[in-house]
Amino acid sequence: VEEWESQAHLDAHFATPHFQTLVPLMDEISTTVNLDVSHKALTVLRNTDSLDRTKRNGRILVLFDTSTGSTEHIANLIAEGALLLDRMDVRVRVVPGPPTSWEDPKI
């Protein structure tokens, strides 16, 4: 979870050289399904007195695949940050099967 002082600060970050260089490279090898910008996510308190399904704990699944262990480390850091959110259940899971690699010609 990243927190920015303002939208202008976030926009300035998007305009930095490293962001402009790296994001298109990452986009070539992946697909961003959804990017949510949440304002004051850590200050939102959920109602614990209601049985309303919209008021229950949030759920985040961090799913990863790794051939070196580095991605597992990042997945655990993401989960650690997500646990800072109020009433959030977080699970970290590895893709079943043998480890894969971007260099594997069968993929």
Side-chain angles (χ1 to χ4, degrees):
V1 174
E2 291 185 15
E3 186 173 337
W4 293 87
E5 187 173 328
S6 68
Q7 184 63 45
H9 286 87
L10 182 57
D11 292 341
H13 175 67
F14 289 162
T16 59
H18 80 275
F19 196 92
Q20 294 292 315
T21 302
L22 294 177
V23 170
L25 295 173
M26 290 187 295
D27 285 344
E28 289 178 17
I29 62 170
S30 65
T31 301
T32 300
V33 176
N34 194 10
L35 177 64
D36 295 318
V37 177
S38 177
H39 300 280
K40 303 295 181 186
L42 294 175
T43 61
V44 174
L45 298 177
R46 296 171 187 252
N47 183 353
T48 58
D49 300 330
S50 173
L51 295 178
D52 182 353
R53 291 175 61 86
T54 62
K55 304 295 183 188
R56 69 181 180 188
N57 284 6
R59 295 177 181 170
I60 295 176
L61 171 64
V62 181
L63 181 67
F64 70 94
D65 190 15
T66 185
S67 60
T68 64
S70 297
T71 307
E72 180 177 9
H73 180 70
I74 300 255
N76 287 322
L77 290 173
I78 291 168
E80 184 180 320
L83 284 170
L84 296 174
L85 296 168
D86 180 54
R87 292 190 57 211
M88 192 61 60
D89 296 329
V90 181
R91 292 184 181 178
V92 178
R93 298 290 185 264
V94 65
V95 173
T100 59
S101 170
W102 288 103
E103 291 79 28
D104 189 341
K106 297 177 288 202
I107 298 176

